[in-house]
PDB file of all heavy atoms in Angstrom:
ATOM      1  N   TYR A 103     -15.212  -3.275  15.092  1.00  0.00           N
ATOM      2  CA  TYR A 103     -16.153  -2.557  15.927  1.00  0.00           C
ATOM      3  C   TYR A 103     -16.412  -1.137  15.502  1.00  0.00           C
ATOM      4  O   TYR A 103     -15.346  -0.536  15.042  1.00  0.00           O
ATOM      5  CB  TYR A 103     -15.718  -2.726  17.448  1.00  0.00           C
ATOM      6  CG  TYR A 103     -14.336  -1.993  17.731  1.00  0.00           C
ATOM      7  CD1 TYR A 103     -14.495  -0.538  18.246  1.00  0.00           C
ATOM      8  CD2 TYR A 103     -13.197  -2.523  17.576  1.00  0.00           C
ATOM      9  CE1 TYR A 103     -13.326   0.051  18.496  1.00  0.00           C
ATOM     10  CE2 TYR A 103     -12.026  -1.860  17.936  1.00  0.00           C
ATOM     11  CZ  TYR A 103     -12.093  -0.573  18.390  1.00  0.00           C
ATOM     12  OH  TYR A 103     -10.875   0.133  18.551  1.00  0.00           O
ATOM     13  N   PRO A 104     -17.562  -0.692  15.693  1.00  0.00           N
ATOM     14  CA  PRO A 104     -17.799   0.699  15.340  1.00  0.00           C
ATOM     15  C   PRO A 104     -17.203   1.714  16.256  1.00  0.00           C
ATOM     16  O   PRO A 104     -17.359   1.509  17.398  1.00  0.00           O
ATOM     17  CB  PRO A 104     -19.491   0.820  15.215  1.00  0.00           C
ATOM     18  CG  PRO A 104     -19.818  -0.199  16.189  1.00  0.00           C
ATOM     19  CD  PRO A 104     -18.841  -1.356  16.164  1.00  0.00           C
ATOM     20  N   CYS A 105     -16.631   2.653  15.724  1.00  0.00           N
ATOM     21  CA  CYS A 105     -15.952   3.777  16.613  1.00  0.00           C
ATOM     22  C   CYS A 105     -15.672   5.062  15.931  1.00  0.00           C
ATOM     23  O   CYS A 105     -14.989   5.045  14.849  1.00  0.00           O
ATOM     24  CB  CYS A 105     -14.678   3.074  17.197  1.00  0.00           C
ATOM     25  SG  CYS A 105     -13.546   4.303  17.938  1.00  0.00           S
ATOM     26  N   ALA A 106     -16.410   5.954  16.325  1.00  0.00           N
ATOM     27  CA  ALA A 106     -16.232   7.315  15.750  1.00  0.00           C
ATOM     28  C   ALA A 106     -15.299   8.307  16.463  1.00  0.00           C
ATOM     29  O   ALA A 106     -15.271   9.400  16.368  1.00  0.00           O
ATOM     30  CB  ALA A 106     -17.653   7.950  15.537  1.00  0.00           C
ATOM     31  N   CYS A 107     -14.439   7.669  17.349  1.00  0.00           N
ATOM     32  CA  CYS A 107     -13.542   8.419  18.186  1.00  0.00           C
ATOM     33  C   CYS A 107     -12.390   9.029  17.431  1.00  0.00           C
ATOM     34  O   CYS A 107     -12.012   8.571  16.526  1.00  0.00           O
ATOM     35  CB  CYS A 107     -12.963   7.631  19.269  1.00  0.00           C
ATOM     36  SG  CYS A 107     -14.115   7.086  20.542  1.00  0.00           S
ATOM     37  N   MET A 112      -9.283   8.013  21.274  1.00  0.00           N
ATOM     38  CA  MET A 112      -8.930   6.661  21.182  1.00  0.00           C
ATOM     39  C   MET A 112      -7.994   6.164  22.404  1.00  0.00           C
ATOM     40  O   MET A 112      -7.874   5.016  22.789  1.00  0.00           O
ATOM     41  CB  MET A 112      -8.090   6.347  19.935  1.00  0.00           C
ATOM     42  CG  MET A 112      -8.954   6.148  18.768  1.00  0.00           C
ATOM     43  SD  MET A 112      -9.982   4.764  18.820  1.00  0.00           S
ATOM     44  CE  MET A 112      -8.688   3.315  18.746  1.00  0.00           C
ATOM     45  N   ARG A 114      -8.625   6.622  25.412  1.00  0.00           N
ATOM     46  CA  ARG A 114      -9.427   6.246  26.586  1.00  0.00           C
ATOM     47  C   ARG A 114      -9.521   4.725  26.656  1.00  0.00           C
ATOM     48  O   ARG A 114     -10.031   4.091  25.842  1.00  0.00           O
ATOM     49  CB  ARG A 114     -10.889   6.810  26.488  1.00  0.00           C
ATOM     50  CG  ARG A 114     -10.926   8.287  26.717  1.00  0.00           C
ATOM     51  CD  ARG A 114     -12.415   8.765  26.695  1.00  0.00           C
ATOM     52  NE  ARG A 114     -13.102   8.443  25.451  1.00  0.00           N
ATOM     53  CZ  ARG A 114     -14.305   8.038  25.440  1.00  0.00           C
ATOM     54  NH1 ARG A 114     -15.062   7.954  26.464  1.00  0.00           N
ATOM     55  NH2 ARG A 114     -14.920   7.788  24.288  1.00  0.00           N
ATOM     56  N   HIS A 120      -9.554  -0.190  24.332  1.00  0.00           N
ATOM     57  CA  HIS A 120     -10.393   1.018  23.980  1.00  0.00           C
ATOM     58  C   HIS A 120     -11.845   0.737  24.371  1.00  0.00           C
ATOM     59  O   HIS A 120     -12.290  -0.377  23.991  1.00  0.00           O
ATOM     60  CB  HIS A 120     -10.169   1.363  22.544  1.00  0.00           C
ATOM     61  CG  HIS A 120     -11.027   2.534  22.139  1.00  0.00           C
ATOM     62  ND1 HIS A 120     -11.037   3.703  22.810  1.00  0.00           N
ATOM     63  CD2 HIS A 120     -11.833   2.707  21.140  1.00  0.00           C
ATOM     64  CE1 HIS A 120     -11.950   4.597  22.272  1.00  0.00           C
ATOM     65  NE2 HIS A 120     -12.391   3.914  21.245  1.00  0.00           N
ATOM     66  N   CYS A 122     -14.865   1.617  23.139  1.00  0.00           N
ATOM     67  CA  CYS A 122     -15.731   1.327  22.021  1.00  0.00           C
ATOM     68  C   CYS A 122     -15.742  -0.162  21.733  1.00  0.00           C
ATOM     69  O   CYS A 122     -16.711  -0.870  21.303  1.00  0.00           O
ATOM     70  CB  CYS A 122     -15.497   2.048  20.844  1.00  0.00           C
ATOM     71  SG  CYS A 122     -15.787   3.762  20.979  1.00  0.00           S
ATOM     72  N   ARG A 137     -13.407   0.014  13.103  1.00  0.00           N
ATOM     73  CA  ARG A 137     -11.957  -0.367  13.356  1.00  0.00           C
ATOM     74  C   ARG A 137     -11.725  -1.799  13.555  1.00  0.00           C
ATOM     75  O   ARG A 137     -12.599  -2.514  13.992  1.00  0.00           O
ATOM     76  CB  ARG A 137     -11.489   0.391  14.713  1.00  0.00           C
ATOM     77  CG  ARG A 137     -11.476   1.875  14.512  1.00  0.00           C
ATOM     78  CD  ARG A 137     -11.056   2.530  15.924  1.00  0.00           C
ATOM     79  NE  ARG A 137     -11.010   3.967  15.746  1.00  0.00           N
ATOM     80  CZ  ARG A 137      -9.953   4.567  15.216  1.00  0.00           C
ATOM     81  NH1 ARG A 137      -8.888   4.047  14.873  1.00  0.00           N
ATOM     82  NH2 ARG A 137     -10.028   5.963  15.282  1.00  0.00           N
TER      83      ARG A 137
HETATM   84 ZN1   ZN B 301     -14.044   4.691  20.135  1.00  0.00          ZN
END
Side-chain angles (χ1 to χ4, degrees):
Y103 66 92
C105 165
C107 292
M112 281 297 292
R114 289 186 301 145
H120 176 52
C122 294
R137 289 182 183 276

